[in-house]
Amino acid sequence: MELSELYREVILTHATHPHHYGEIENPDKKAHGSNPLCGDSFDIEIKMDGDKIAEISFVGAGCSISKASASMMTEMARGKTVKEFYDLLDKMEKLVRGELAEKDTEELGDLAALAGVSAFPIRVKCAILPWKTLKNAVEDDG
Amino acid sequence: MELSELYREVILTHATHPHHYGEIENPDKKAHGSNPLCGDSFDIEIKMDGDKIAEISFVGAGCSISKASASMMTEMARGKTVKEFYDLLDKMEKLVRGELAEKDTEELGDLAALAGVSAFPIRVKCAILPWKTLKNAVEDDG
Amino acid sequence: MNSLSGCCKKDFPTLKVKVYGKRLVYLDSAATSLKPESVIESIVDFYSNHNANIHRGVYLLSQEATELYEKTRTKLKKFFNTPKEGEIIYTSGTTAAVNLVASSWGRTSLGEGDVIVLSGMEHHSNMVPWQIVAREKGAKLIYIPVTDSGELDLEEYKLIFKNHSVKIVAVNHISNVLGTLNPVEEIVRQAHRYGALVLIDGAQSAPHIPVDISRIDPDFYTVSGHKMLGPTGTGFLYGRKEILKSMPPYQSGGDMIEEVSLKNATWNELPYKFEAGTQNIAGFVGLGAAVDYLISAGMDRVRKHGEELSMKAREMLSSVKGIKFYGPEKGSPGGVLSFNIEGAHPHDIGTILDSEGIAVRTGHHCAQPLMKRLGVAATVRASFYIYNDEQDIESLYSGIHKVAEVLKLGVK
Amino acid sequence: MNSLSGCCKKDFPTLKVKVYGKRLVYLDSAATSLKPESVIESIVDFYSNHNANIHRGVYLLSQEATELYEKTRTKLKKFFNTPKEGEIIYTSGTTAAVNLVASSWGRTSLGEGDVIVLSGMEHHSNMVPWQIVAREKGAKLIYIPVTDSGELDLEEYKLIFKNHSVKIVAVNHISNVLGTLNPVEEIVRQAHRYGALVLIDGAQSAPHIPVDISRIDPDFYTVSGHKMLGPTGTGFLYGRKEILKSMPPYQSGGDMIEEVSLKNATWNELPYKFEAGTQNIAGFVGLGAAVDYLISAGMDRVRKHGEELSMKAREMLSSVKGIKFYGPEKGSPGGVLSFNIEGAHPHDIGTILDSEGIAVRTGHHCAQPLMKRLGVAATVRASFYIYNDEQDIESLYSGIHKVAEVLKLGVK
Ligand SMILES: Cc1ncc(COP(=O)(O)O)c(C=O)c1O
Ligand SMILES: Cc1ncc(COP(=O)(O)O)c(C=O)c1O
């Protein structure tokens, strides 16, 4: 259990200076997600361009891990097709559970910093919460 | 704990050949009593003559102790005033709890045989059930 | 464990107790079983090494407690072969489980004229909650009759569906008085054919026979952990996921909540929706150790053992003058033997056996309507479990002779 | 126990546990307390030497089990000074106790337009059951506001009675987040003046301060045994006898019955009317040992200890940059200290403290509406109990510095 593995520089930076924090005008889809065990909650809004996630924003309250995860997610998801997002979601879940092969980790960019979460099982939910919420937003049909 | 103290001859005799077992015609008062823990139950009927318990009968299902106690009770209660019955009830309760003075025991006749119950706390309820039921019958006002 | 020799008396510390200076012969496992050392130790280990509240803690101790608590759920899922995740809801026992269903499902699903089918051999716990909800909702109770040989009358059962709108059937798997094993698969098939749900009260079956919930396919199945070597205050409700999902919470409070505002609340996912407040955490950890113990004993052997002991006891006692047995002639898969002796009230028998160190249950066994059907106020019940052996039957046999002597049954 | 030195670390085996090789600093007693050796031993003794089901057994073991189980009730009656026999109903904790009242009393006594008064600092367990019964019965909820200093606004409370038909007031004695001790005597007097009942949630008070139920004079009082050194799955509801008598049973089944026919049932006397099915017998035996332990510690000293530790902790931590406390300045009689640190989310604080062996609770503490009132999503809560001491506060203080270091709070 290495705290410095969990709280890497890049995570703390995303957490304190989150990207795409706020709301977008006239979002196509949105979702609210919360963790009943800790009270953390996120609202995610997206604008679609055909099959692509064209714009994305989030607001919410959460720990460094969930906030950094949300911030990095907005970076990664923007411009991706729904299918590409699902692939990414799958990788991300494996990553934080410590089940992702080393080589797959590389293509994840900043997100790879979340690998340290796998040593803290109780925090896995924090990392995943924004992603589950985005998934619900993508599947939101009005 | 002496079984022979509990199951004295006089108790077994009363239990197998109970006195005043049955119903009386046109009883003035009656009551039903049961022990939720074992399912034993008694129905007692009485006829009053002024303040006196003139006639009394019982039917019911119960163990040797409760049945003998009921049988002996009918013998003792018949012809007693309500006040005398309450006195007797009080003595009887003390007897089966082992709290009655030796000298008071003597005037109880056959009933004194129930003294052995005091060594079997779980059976005290059995001995008392018919008496509680008679008390309810006496206090029954239609 | 080999046929009539108990598997393991040494694993059960209570069996070392002396009663009035005599060896304890514990024949009341149908009320609650003894606990093996391993179960007691798992409780001590929990309180000594992992004590914490569960689910909401970020710290290690709380995570360990949560893991131990949830591990038992995984074990139960496997042991009882339940189909899906989230279908095992911890309760304090069968009574609480039936109440949960009667209240949460019953109060939202039953209406005027709907029929609840029970049987004439139910325990009060699987009868009174239904009486209450039936009265509240204007539903009707119909009882499957008990035949003279102590079985459910399946012909009559099937007829009920012809003329009534049956919503739920609630019967026990093994009777706690008769020891009868009821044909639950057939009961379930019939009910499902008519779109009715089925609740099986498994309080007496779970400890004694292999129970495959996926195969039986009931909608609800209830179990008392404390009768299957587990700690007191434990048990569970199995419920079919789709049905549990549609049911409102039963108790509300901490942990079963998703979000709460001053006006409103939304519910957590299954099974937590039905587990409000701090649970009997140590108890459920202990229940996991009980399951482990039963797995290593082997449920097929456990069943055979109970059947053989109850059969053997019946054979031995049948020579007693005036004895009458209630229940299956071939021995009970539940290890239960109920009887009466002419001229001796069960209470007197119980007291006299106790003086010999023999613990049996006497009374109505929380089944008063069945007592009425049998035409008695009470019975004596000896119930056998894995730690009993042939010697215990011999003690019972001598004990009964002592009864005849004390009550002077011979000389009457 | 003398002021800031814990009374008795050696009595609590969990305190010997190492967390990541470090000494355990358990600061989460408000969630569940640790258990002393004597409580654990009483459970082992029960299972090893007296294991049996209660109430219905004629044999010695069952009588012993019943006696041990009932002896705890006698101890609780004395410890909490409740007026009459039959008023203490065993439950699995406060949640179950509140649900019992909200369901049994609430569903028969509340009607359209009736008002239930809660407070803005309730635990979900004393809020959601009322929301549910209010919705069902068309009753209205009114909340006593929480002032900026974290107290109940009694002026506002009194005004409620002017314009509303208040049927019941349900508030906690000590808040599990703020640690505030509420003026329950005054709350009760006011309600009784208007013929309203009062339920006091004593989950956090019972472990920490002397509670004299006869003097407070509430109609219901709820306690969680597992927070006052007792086993998990224990607690009780005190209820005023006349009211309990008039209430229908909550759960039904074995033991709470007088007689049962196929159609109907009549109820056993108090408290058994409300104790259906096999209870957590070993748990309640253990709760008796917990009461003994608290008696010998002395509740006045327990209170003083909690107050002093929480005050001392507040003093030490107040030098931390960006820290904000919630709750009484003078230390909490409940031994609770809630806080936040600017720039650090409670979860991150919890994880980092855990790595130092320090167990604190983080999150909404099952009090989401209060969190909203405080304008936060979560807090860190350190809660102190009799086995904590000044050294634990120093560990917390160092731990918080580690938090600042890991989260780089200084350099931002
Ligand atoms: C068939 C049956 N159902 C229900 C119960 C009630 O179980 P519990 O007391 O664990 O709630 C029992 C045991 O007493 C039983 O034998
Ligand atoms: C004030 C308060 N009320 C109610 C509860 C719920 O208690 P339990 O979980 O024992 O049911 C708690 C503890 O979590 C509490 O602190």
Side-chain angles (χ1 to χ4, degrees):
Chain A
M1 204 202 57
E2 265 312 316
L3 279 177
S4 57
E5 276 300 294
L6 183 63
Y7 295 108
R8 295 185 199 177
E9 190 71 40
V10 52
I11 287 184
L12 293 179
T13 309
H14 270 284
T16 47
H17 302 91
H19 303 189
H20 306 103
Y21 194 86
E23 295 174 7
I24 48 186
E25 263 173 57
N26 305 318
D28 295 321
K29 295 160 177 270
K30 56 184 173 182
H32 172 78
S34 74
N35 182 341
L37 301 181
C38 61
D40 286 359
S41 76
F42 288 93
D43 285 281
I44 290 182
E45 296 182 339
I46 50 179
K47 248 186 152 58
M48 302 297 292
D49 176 7
D51 194 30
K52 271 206 175 104
I53 299 169
E55 280 185 56
I56 178 167
S57 74
F58 82 100
V59 291
C63 60
S64 310
I65 306 304
S66 61
K67 239 170 162 175
S69 178
S71 171
M72 296 188 288
M73 176 184 77
T74 60
E75 283 299 329
M76 298 289 288
R78 210 162 59 130
K80 291 245 176 356
T81 65
V82 169
K83 183 170 172 321
E84 286 165 345
F85 163 68
Y86 281 145
D87 278 356
L88 192 61
L89 170 61
D90 186 54
K91 289 216 176 78
M92 144 74 189
E93 287 205 320
K94 286 200 175 114
L95 174 77
V96 294
R97 298 213 153 87
E99 296 160 2
L100 196 66
E102 189 75 44
K103 67 167 183 27
D104 289 332
T105 310
E106 284 158 25
E107 60 192 79
L108 291 178
D110 279 5
L111 210 51
L114 283 174
V117 174
S118 64
F120 298 80
I122 197 90
R123 306 302 297 274
V124 167
K125 274 201 170 167
C126 307
I128 288 179
L129 175 61
W131 293 75
K132 285 236 157 118
T133 311
L134 175 54
K135 180 166 179 282
N136 287 338
V138 164
E139 289 164 7
D140 169 31
D141 30 52
Chain B
M1 206 203 57
E2 266 310 316
L3 278 178
S4 56
E5 277 299 296
L6 183 63
Y7 294 109
R8 295 184 198 176
E9 189 72 39
V10 53
I11 287 183
L12 293 179
T13 308
H14 270 284
T16 48
H17 301 92
H19 302 189
H20 306 102
Y21 193 86
E23 294 173 9
I24 47 185
E25 261 173 59
N26 304 318
D28 295 322
K29 294 159 177 270
K30 55 185 174 181
H32 172 78
S34 73
N35 182 342
L37 301 181
C38 62
D40 287 357
S41 75
F42 288 93
D43 284 282
I44 291 182
E45 296 181 339
I46 51 178
K47 246 186 155 57
M48 301 298 293
D49 176 6
D51 195 29
K52 271 205 174 106
I53 299 169
E55 280 187 53
I56 177 166
S57 74
F58 83 100
V59 292
C63 59
S64 310
I65 307 305
S66 61
K67 237 169 164 177
S69 177
S71 171
M72 296 189 286
M73 177 184 76
T74 59
E75 284 298 330
M76 298 289 289
R78 209 162 59 131
K80 290 244 175 1
T81 64
V82 169
K83 184 171 171 320
E84 286 165 345
F85 163 67
Y86 282 144
D87 278 356
L88 192 62
L89 170 61
D90 186 54
K91 289 216 177 79
M92 144 75 190
E93 288 205 319
K94 286 199 175 116
L95 175 77
V96 295
R97 297 212 153 88
E99 297 160 1
L100 195 66
E102 190 75 42
K103 69 167 180 29
D104 290 332
T105 310
E106 284 158 27
E107 61 191 79
L108 292 178
D110 278 7
L111 210 51
L114 283 173
V117 174
S118 64
F120 298 80
I122 196 92
R123 305 302 297 275
V124 167
K125 273 200 172 169
C126 307
I128 289 179
L129 176 61
W131 293 75
K132 286 236 158 117
T133 311
L134 176 53
K135 181 166 178 281
N136 287 339
V138 165
E139 290 164 6
D140 170 31
D141 30 52
Chain C
M1 184 170 26
N2 215 305
S3 69
L4 298 178
S5 68
C7 65
C8 45
K9 279 196 191 293
K10 65 169 181 8
D11 294 344
F12 293 81
T14 319
L15 291 175
K16 294 183 192 108
V17 167
K18 289 268 180 277
V19 175
Y20 314 115
K22 305 209 166 85
R23 178 176 84 87
L24 170 66
V25 179
Y26 189 74
L27 301 180
D28 194 23
S29 298
T32 198
S33 72
L34 302 179
K35 323 302 174 199
E37 195 69 48
S38 63
V39 167
I40 301 171
E41 263 166 16
S42 72
I43 297 170
V44 172
D45 176 59
F46 176 80
Y47 285 129
S48 304
N49 300 318
H50 315 283
N51 182 85
N53 213 327
I54 53 173
H55 287 319
R56 284 157 297 161
V58 289
Y59 56 88
L60 186 70
L61 222 55
S62 172
Q63 292 165 43
E64 286 173 357
T66 306
E67 235 164 72
L68 288 167
Y69 177 81
E70 290 299 334
K71 205 191 225 166
T72 296
R73 213 188 300 267
T74 311
K75 284 180 189 172
L76 291 169
K77 180 173 186 310
K78 201 161 160 214
F79 189 64
F80 289 102
N81 193 26
T82 63
K84 296 180 186 162
E85 295 295 327
E87 297 185 318
I88 287 178
I89 294 159
Y90 288 150
T91 68
S92 63
T94 289
T95 304
V98 176
N99 275 274
L100 193 166
V101 177
S103 175
S104 168
W105 177 85
R107 293 180 56 223
T108 50
S109 307
L110 290 169
E112 197 70 31
D114 283 343
V115 162
I116 301 164
V117 174
L118 306 174
S119 93
M121 59 167 86
E122 294 312 308
H123 188 280
H124 293 164
S125 292
N126 194 28
M127 184 179 298
V128 188
W130 298 111
Q131 292 179 343
I132 291 175
V133 70
R135 199 168 318 129
E136 189 181 323
K137 291 289 159 183
K140 237 178 84 178
L141 301 171
I142 297 183
Y143 289 84
I144 310 171
V146 177
T147 66
D148 288 337
S149 59
E151 287 170 359
L152 293 182
D153 187 332
L154 282 195
E155 292 314 307
E156 288 291 327
Y157 168 62
K158 286 178 181 161
L159 282 178
I160 299 170
F161 293 84
K162 294 270 186 291
N163 308 309
H164 298 281
S165 153
V166 177
K167 277 288 161 65
I168 193 164
V169 177
V171 295
N172 59 42
H173 198 162
I174 293 185
S175 155
N176 67 313
V177 177
L178 303 171
T180 318
L181 174 67
N182 291 317
V184 290
E185 283 92 342
E186 212 176 326
I187 288 169
V188 168
R189 265 199 308 276
Q190 168 74 10
H192 283 176
R193 206 169 291 142
Y194 287 82
L197 303 188
V198 179
L199 177 147
I200 306 290
D201 167 355
Q204 295 299 337
S205 46
H208 284 281
I209 65 173
V211 172
D212 183 332
I213 290 183
S214 291
R215 200 169 49 78
I216 301 171
D217 197 30
D219 304 282
F220 301 106
Y221 198 97
T222 65
V223 171
S224 296
H226 65 93
K227 294 186 203 279
M228 49 180 277
L229 308 181
T232 56
T234 67
F236 72 88
L237 168 70
Y238 157 81
R240 195 187 293 283
K241 197 157 194 176
E242 304 86 80
I243 302 171
L244 290 178
K245 272 191 170 163
S246 72
M247 284 159 55
Y250 176 50
Q251 297 203 326
S252 52
D255 262 348
M256 54 70 71
I257 249 60
E258 192 181 58
E259 286 182 85
V260 181
S261 70
L262 290 173
K263 287 235 152 94
N264 225 325
T266 53
W267 318 130
N268 199 346
E269 61 188 8
L270 286 172
Y272 312 112
K273 177 169 101 175
F274 292 105
E275 293 177 6
T278 305
Q279 302 290 307
N280 184 357
I281 307 170
F284 288 104
V285 172
L287 183 55
V291 170
D292 290 342
Y293 194 96
L294 286 174
I295 289 173
S296 68
M299 288 309 291
D300 287 316
R301 287 155 76 208
V302 171
R303 173 181 175 153
K304 191 152 168 271
H305 185 65
E307 237 157 10
E308 287 182 356
L309 284 184
S310 54
M311 180 154 61
K312 175 82 186 177
R314 186 166 171 149
E315 277 167 23
M316 270 194 95
L317 293 183
S318 61
S319 68
V320 172
K321 206 179 132 202
I323 199 163
K324 186 170 161 40
F325 299 101
Y326 310 94
E329 272 179 42
K330 293 272 159 66
S332 157
V336 162
L337 184 64
S338 268
F339 61 90
N340 264 321
I341 298 173
E342 212 191 312
H345 188 280
H347 264 203
D348 296 317
I349 298 175
T351 296
I352 298 164
L353 291 179
D354 180 43
S355 75
E356 299 290 301
I358 305 161
V360 295
R361 185 102 339 201
T362 65
H364 54 59
H365 316 295
C366 292
Q368 290 186 342
L370 176 60
M371 292 294 119
K372 208 164 234 173
R373 168 69 181 85
L374 299 175
V376 297
T379 76
V380 181
R381 181 186 71 189
S383 56
F384 302 94
Y385 205 19
I386 52 179
Y387 32 71
N388 293 119
D389 60 15
E390 200 158 2
Q391 207 195 331
D392 295 338
I393 298 179
E394 278 155 21
S395 299
L396 175 63
Y397 182 73
S398 323
I400 292 293
H401 280 85
K402 170 96 183 194
V403 169
E405 183 194 316
V406 171
L407 297 182
K408 309 200 165 56
L409 293 186
V411 298
K412 252 197 335 178
Chain D
M1 181 170 27
N2 216 306
S3 69
L4 298 178
S5 70
C7 64
C8 44
K9 278 195 191 293
K10 66 168 181 8
D11 294 345
F12 293 82
T14 319
L15 291 175
K16 295 184 191 106
V17 167
K18 290 267 179 279
V19 176
Y20 313 114
K22 304 208 168 85
R23 178 176 84 88
L24 170 65
V25 180
Y26 188 74
L27 301 180
D28 194 23
S29 297
T32 199
S33 73
L34 302 179
K35 322 302 174 200
E37 195 68 47
S38 63
V39 167
I40 301 171
E41 264 166 17
S42 73
I43 297 170
V44 172
D45 176 59
F46 176 80
Y47 284 130
S48 304
N49 299 318
H50 314 284
N51 182 85
N53 213 327
I54 52 172
H55 288 319
R56 284 158 299 161
V58 290
Y59 56 89
L60 186 70
L61 222 56
S62 172
Q63 292 166 42
E64 286 173 359
T66 307
E67 235 164 73
L68 289 166
Y69 177 80
E70 290 299 333
K71 206 190 224 165
T72 297
R73 213 189 299 268
T74 311
K75 284 180 189 171
L76 291 169
K77 180 174 186 311
K78 201 163 160 213
F79 189 64
F80 290 103
N81 193 26
T82 62
K84 295 181 186 162
E85 294 297 327
E87 297 184 318
I88 288 179
I89 295 159
Y90 288 149
T91 68
S92 64
T94 290
T95 304
V98 176
N99 275 273
L100 193 167
V101 177
S103 175
S104 168
W105 177 85
R107 293 181 57 222
T108 49
S109 306
L110 291 169
E112 197 71 32
D114 284 342
V115 162
I116 301 164
V117 174
L118 305 174
S119 94
M121 57 168 86
E122 294 313 308
H123 188 279
H124 293 165
S125 291
N126 193 28
M127 184 178 299
V128 187
W130 299 111
Q131 293 179 343
I132 290 175
V133 70
R135 197 167 320 128
E136 190 181 322
K137 292 289 160 183
K140 238 179 83 179
L141 300 172
I142 298 183
Y143 289 83
I144 310 170
V146 177
T147 65
D148 288 338
S149 58
E151 287 170 0
L152 293 183
D153 188 332
L154 282 196
E155 294 312 308
E156 287 291 329
Y157 169 61
K158 286 178 181 162
L159 283 178
I160 298 171
F161 292 85
K162 295 267 187 290
N163 308 308
H164 298 281
S165 153
V166 177
K167 277 288 162 65
I168 193 165
V169 177
V171 296
N172 60 41
H173 198 163
I174 293 185
S175 154
N176 68 313
V177 177
L178 303 171
T180 317
L181 174 66
N182 291 316
V184 288
E185 283 92 340
E186 212 176 327
I187 287 169
V188 168
R189 266 200 308 277
Q190 168 73 10
H192 283 176
R193 206 169 290 143
Y194 287 83
L197 303 188
V198 179
L199 177 148
I200 306 291
D201 167 356
Q204 295 300 335
S205 46
H208 284 280
I209 64 173
V211 172
D212 183 332
I213 290 184
S214 290
R215 198 168 51 75
I216 300 171
D217 196 32
D219 303 283
F220 300 106
Y221 197 96
T222 66
V223 171
S224 296
H226 65 92
K227 294 187 202 278
M228 50 181 276
L229 309 181
T232 56
T234 67
F236 71 88
L237 169 69
Y238 156 80
R240 194 188 294 283
K241 198 158 193 176
E242 304 87 80
I243 302 171
L244 290 179
K245 271 190 170 166
S246 72
M247 285 161 53
Y250 175 50
Q251 296 203 327
S252 52
D255 263 347
M256 53 70 72
I257 249 62
E258 192 181 59
E259 286 183 83
V260 181
S261 70
L262 290 171
K263 288 231 150 96
N264 225 327
T266 52
W267 317 130
N268 199 344
E269 60 189 9
L270 286 172
Y272 311 111
K273 178 169 101 176
F274 292 105
E275 293 177 5
T278 304
Q279 302 290 308
N280 184 358
I281 308 171
F284 289 105
V285 173
L287 183 55
V291 169
D292 291 341
Y293 194 96
L294 286 175
I295 289 172
S296 66
M299 289 310 291
D300 286 316
R301 286 153 79 208
V302 171
R303 172 180 176 152
K304 192 152 167 270
H305 186 65
E307 237 158 9
E308 287 182 358
L309 284 184
S310 54
M311 180 155 60
K312 176 83 187 175
R314 185 167 173 147
E315 277 167 23
M316 269 194 94
L317 293 183
S318 61
S319 68
V320 172
K321 205 179 133 203
I323 200 163
K324 184 169 162 42
F325 299 103
Y326 310 94
E329 273 182 39
K330 293 270 157 68
S332 157
V336 161
L337 184 66
S338 268
F339 61 90
N340 264 320
I341 299 171
E342 213 190 311
H345 188 279
H347 263 203
D348 296 317
I349 298 175
T351 295
I352 298 164
L353 290 180
D354 180 44
S355 75
E356 298 290 301
I358 305 163
V360 295
R361 185 101 339 200
T362 65
H364 54 59
H365 316 294
C366 292
Q368 288 185 345
L370 176 60
M371 291 294 117
K372 207 164 234 174
R373 168 70 180 84
L374 299 174
V376 298
T379 75
V380 181
R381 180 186 71 189
S383 55
F384 301 94
Y385 204 20
I386 53 179
Y387 33 71
N388 293 119
D389 59 15
E390 201 159 3
Q391 207 195 330
D392 295 338
I393 298 179
E394 276 155 21
S395 299
L396 177 62
Y397 182 74
S398 324
I400 292 293
H401 280 85
K402 171 96 182 195
V403 169
E405 183 194 315
V406 171
L407 296 182
K408 308 200 166 58
L409 294 186
V411 298
K412 251 200 331 183

